[in-house]
Amino acid sequence: MHGEYKVPGGKLVVVDLDVEDGELRHTRVAGDFFLEPDEALDAINGALDGAPVDTDAAGLAARIEAALPEGTVMYGLTAEGVGIAVRRALAHATDWTDYDWQLVHEGPQPPALHMALDEVLTQEVAAGRRPPTLRVWEWGAPSVIIGSFQSLANEVDQEGAARHGIDVVRRVSGGGAMFVEPGNTITYSLSVPDALVQGLSFQDSYAYLDDWVLGALADMGIKAWYQPLNDIATEAGKIAGAAQKRLVGPGGGAGAVLHHVTMSYDIDADKMLEVLRIGKEKLSDKGTKSAKKRVDPLRRQTGLPRETVIDRMIDSFRARYGLARGKVTDEELARAQELVRTKFGTAEWTARVP
């Protein structure tokens, strides 16, 4: 069995192993990490041999840490990262480079249609009719997008939204409300087979699916990191929030994961505060007293036009994993438009949690 895992912000860990009588055997750890002393690698392999196959990543990490020689130094590698690579091997997880990725980047579309396209394209990936897809959004109107489980009344000042001509829509994923304006926001979705995140915890899957964009930001001179559970942050402040939804495949078979991210290129903070109800409780766990300080837009940090930032993100993804240009098919668009009519564009859905 073979498993790979790139430690977020670190290096690639590769594990090959056998299973005999319900235990790990002949475990071989490799990768482009740094490890001192050399004997530590033998200690890691030895700690994994004999572990029951149902040992979780944390349990495997504990075995490794207990076996490491005193003074061991790991750079780009963690004991937990090795444990995750083992779990991915046992789950027969796939890797980014196992797929022919498709890019969808089309003209501005209404907010409700974006919600529907996320659902439709991810369903198509789950059914095997569409390759894994990176979709970059262009916004046709300003909007507030609330999480699947948020209260409409608690999150949105509807009088403020109406005053500024801002649509309110509800997405299928959880998480918090996002304030977006055309030209000020960069949003993308990843629709991927669930095999890509096999062996990862829910939290680890966020870090794993966000790792490429951290690299893209680094290429633009921005040191960013994943901040659990679903933020991308820099020393200047939060720049993005992510959300996920897991969809089952046809007949309950292998499914797909929708992972979408909204990044602030620029922001009208005063308008945002007139539209979103950002409570003290939400601010307290972010370590800040002002909502304006929670978001630090990419425009200020990069000095680049929005279109250039998007192009560089796409180029970075393509260089890592390959990316062919595609489009939303006529059938997919028709299904999405029907979902707008019956679900995402309805008051019943938007206010399903009043």
Side-chain angles (χ1 to χ4, degrees), residues 94-166:
T94 55
D95 184 68
W96 295 84
T97 55
D98 292 333
Y99 300 104
D100 295 322
W101 290 87
Q102 186 174 110
L103 169 68
V104 172
H105 187 193
E106 301 181 339
Q109 293 163 318
L113 184 60
H114 279 306
M115 304 302 109
L117 283 170
D118 261 359
E119 182 169 322
V120 169
L121 298 189
T122 307
Q123 287 174 337
E124 289 297 284
V125 171
R129 294 186 292 263
R130 162 172 283 279
T133 298
L134 168 65
R135 184 171 74 90
V136 179
W137 303 21
E138 295 295 345
W139 291 92
S143 180
V144 168
I145 304 95
I146 58 176
S148 181
F149 310 108
Q150 288 189 295
S151 161
L152 175 61
N154 289 345
E155 299 298 328
V156 182
D157 184 326
Q158 296 183 62
E159 289 185 1
R163 185 168 61 251
H164 290 291
I166 294 175

Side-chain angles (χ1 to χ4, degrees), residues 56-72:
D56 62 15
L60 294 170
R63 291 174 67 105
I64 292 169
E65 289 169 351
L68 288 174
E70 186 176 353
T72 294

Side-chain angles (χ1 to χ4, degrees), residues 277-292:
R277 300 186 188 277
I278 301 175
K280 294 180 180 179
E281 231 8 78
K282 183 176 291 187
L283 294 176
S284 67
D285 73 355
K286 303 296 183 183
T288 181
K289 295 181 179 179
S290 171
K292 292 184 181 182

